[in-house]
Amino acid sequence: MTKYEHAALKIENEGAALIIDPGVFTSPLAELGSVAGVVLTHEHPDHWTPAHLDRILAAHPGIPIFAPEGVAKAAPGYEITIVKPGDAVSLAPFALKFFGGDHAVIHESIPMIDNVGVLVNDEFYYPGDSYAVPKHTKVKLLAAPVGAPWLKIGDAIDFVLAVSPQAVFATHDMTLSQAGLGMGRERLKWAVEQGDGEFIELEPGDSTEL
């Protein structure tokens, strides 16, 4: 698993790569290898841009893009496979399961949108912009959002406690100062250690094994 800027992630397995949420805060992705598909958790531009999709599709034409209905409406011209909570998709060598359904509340004045969390091979989980917990699953590695307009650090702590993964790293972090990121990481570290898990500190471009 490789972390890029903000919410963008790459999962590699058996020579294939799955790309998740390359958005406006993420530099152009290079050296992706053989891309099997793309997952977009929701329609906000910090999680997808046409430029990112165009670059990926130019290098890997015809690969599937999985996303909730809101993304399909926000991305006309792209062939989107719509997924919703409870769906399971086989994209060899990846098995994908989707959870949640709604973006976390930012403010009552801002309309709610679709959001799905994605569980990859029953080991890696990323919730998108939500605190959706994958039920009946022992998560090996959790990507936990640490900074966002909708995020309160106490809720992020409770999310990690609820998932109780073997390991966690902080993502969704480009809106934070270095001081704020450091404080957020410390809180997530405390939370995962309550279940005897490990906190992994990843900078953009860093990778860890599942």
Side-chain angles (χ1 to χ4, degrees), residues 84-119:
K84 58 186 183 300
D87 284 352
V89 173
S90 179
L91 179 68
F94 302 104
L96 311 178
K97 297 178 182 178
F98 296 93
F99 297 85
D102 295 321
H103 191 287
V105 175
I106 301 173
H107 187 263
E108 62 183 10
S109 66
I110 299 175
M112 292 290 289
I113 62 169
D114 298 332
N115 178 95
V116 291
V118 60
L119 178 68

